[in-house]
Amino acid sequence: TGIAGYGCYGIGNAIDRFYGCDFDVATYAAIMTGGGSVYFGDSTPENVARLNEELDLQLPKEEMAAIESKGSHLKTGGSAIMIFDAAGGSAEMGGSTVVEAGRAVFLTRSGVAEITVDGADGAELHSDIGVILQMIDLDKAQRQNVEIDGVTYSVYPGPWTEPYASYEEIELSASAEPTEATGRDVVANFSNIELEGDFYNGTTGAGTVQNLQLTLDNATVNGVISASFAQHEKPELYPEDWQCIGVVENTVYPAINNGVILTLTNGAVWNVTGESWITSLTIDESSIVNGTVTVDGAVIDLAPGVYTGEIHVTPITGASIEASSGLT
């Protein structure tokens, strides 16, 4: 009810499951770190019965029957899910879950993450700023120990400083593998859903070198999918700047340490709404990219297969999109 706050926090081996739950929070519905996981879905009789058996809840039949069958609704002023730090975590949404996020639906801050959304039963994702997934470096000051009256306190006095002032300053990391899956990546799978919004890998490699592995399975995205240079409002963040954490503006650029590995399958459609830079594209015969595609500077006619390199994708005209009946 205040100006900041979160709904749940999953750390380490914590397994958070919410069925038919409503969240109305100022900042995040869920925070995941240290390998924690969260799921949002429906409180159907089948789900309730399964949980009752698996977790040995010992709910009597009359109490189970009284539980309302409904979907989950997440309303946040910030992101629905924030995943941070090296161990990261996982988030899954299904059923008829509806998300209304003030900022990016999913935010990762140097967190290895697994994100799964299945819209087969009506799940919806909405972002006020039009961003579905935002990846950034961990914008967190170093911890320091301070002794006061003989007691040691752990504090974060700041500042946290933006690692690079400009895209041109970013240095290629020896561990960068922009076209291949690594164990450090954000792996995101969206199926059976239509999404209005963008996907940005704005990490720089200053901390964890991360790719975005994005799979669209019978899903439609109307938006940008790209590597980017993500900048905070201020180049240095102190404790009083806490509202700036995780809040960035993106400028799309070719990837350096932030590969974007995109797979379209089972009738997936990407309607490109703005300039995008990716590093790998896998597309099957049933899927469509409504955009102009160049690979290493050469315009190509897409055919089913795998493309790697510096892949530049730009929008095509509305008339061309309407006329398109296959790979573009």
Side-chain angles (χ1 to χ4, degrees):
T1 58
I3 61 172
Y6 61 84
C8 67
Y9 197 109
I11 186 169
N13 293 325
I15 302 172
D16 295 353
R17 298 291 182 267
F18 297 94
Y19 295 85
C21 296
D22 296 327
F23 283 68
D24 187 354
V25 294
T27 313
Y28 308 120
I31 298 174
M32 297 289 114
T33 190
S37 66
V38 66
Y39 173 82
F40 294 97
D42 296 357
S43 56
T44 62
E46 294 79 11
N47 283 338
V48 173
R50 176 174 52 80
L51 290 172
N52 191 46
E53 180 178 351
E54 289 180 359
L55 303 179
D56 193 25
L57 300 178
Q58 300 184 33
L59 296 175
K61 290 183 178 180
E62 57 271 19
E63 187 171 345
M64 292 174 60
I67 295 176
E68 181 183 359
S69 180
K70 53 175 284 196
S72 293
H73 184 199
L74 315 182
K75 183 177 180 181
T76 68
S79 295
I81 312 291
M82 188 269 280
I83 301 173
F84 78 101
D85 238 338
S90 63
E92 185 176 354
M93 294 181 182
S96 59
T97 300
V98 175
V99 174
E100 296 178 76
R103 299 202 61 80
V105 175
F106 299 97
L107 170 66
T108 69
R109 301 163 57 227
S110 291
V112 176
E114 184 172 344
I115 296 167
T116 305
V117 178
D118 186 352
D121 293 321
E124 300 177 11
L125 307 180
H126 304 283
S127 162
D128 288 350
I129 64 168
V131 177
I132 303 300
L133 173 59
Q134 176 73 65
M135 294 171 59
I136 62 173
D137 297 324
L138 181 60
D139 46 355
K140 175 181 176 182
Q142 293 296 312
R143 184 196 302 266
Q144 296 183 24
N145 292 328
V146 177
E147 187 171 317
I148 302 175
D149 297 330
V151 179
T152 300
Y153 297 90
S154 184
V155 298
Y156 297 88
W160 173 83
T161 303
E162 201 92 71
Y164 297 101
S166 68
Y167 169 80
E168 290 73 18
E169 295 178 10
I170 300 174
E171 299 177 358
L172 179 64
S173 170
S175 62
E177 299 178 58
T179 65
E180 299 180 12
T182 76
R184 308 177 300 270
D185 297 343
V186 170
V187 180
N189 298 278
F190 295 82
S191 60
N192 310 306
I193 194 168
E194 181 168 354
L195 300 169
E196 298 278 345
D198 305 330
F199 295 75
Y200 295 111
N201 184 354
T203 60
T204 67
T208 303
V209 176
Q210 288 191 293
N211 297 328
L212 167 60
Q213 297 180 47
L214 175 61
T215 297
L216 304 179
D217 181 353
N218 187 36
T220 297
V221 167
N222 305 308
V224 169
I225 302 173
S226 185
S228 72
F229 182 60
Q231 290 179 289
H232 292 73
E233 180 182 347
K234 300 178 179 181
E236 292 185 338
L237 301 183
Y238 290 86
E240 60 268 25
D241 301 315
W242 58 270
Q243 288 184 317
C244 296
I245 292 173
V247 178
V248 297
E249 292 291 334
N250 294 280
T251 305
V252 298
Y253 283 108
I256 298 180
N257 300 316
N258 51 342
V260 178
I261 300 170
L262 175 62
T263 299
L264 279 69
T265 187
N266 294 326
V269 178
W270 177 20
N271 293 318
V272 184
T273 61
E275 182 181 21
S276 302
W277 294 91
I278 63 177
T279 52
S280 177
L281 172 62
T282 300
I283 186 167
D284 68 8
E285 65 280 353
S286 65
S287 299
I288 299 171
V289 174
N290 280 314
T292 300
V293 181
T294 67
V295 179
D296 295 330
V299 178
I300 64 167
D301 291 325
L302 274 182
V306 180
Y307 303 83
T308 59
E310 194 170 87
I311 303 174
H312 189 207
V313 189
T314 53
I316 56 178
T317 65
S320 297
I321 291 176
E322 293 173 4
S324 175
S325 60
L327 296 167
T328 301

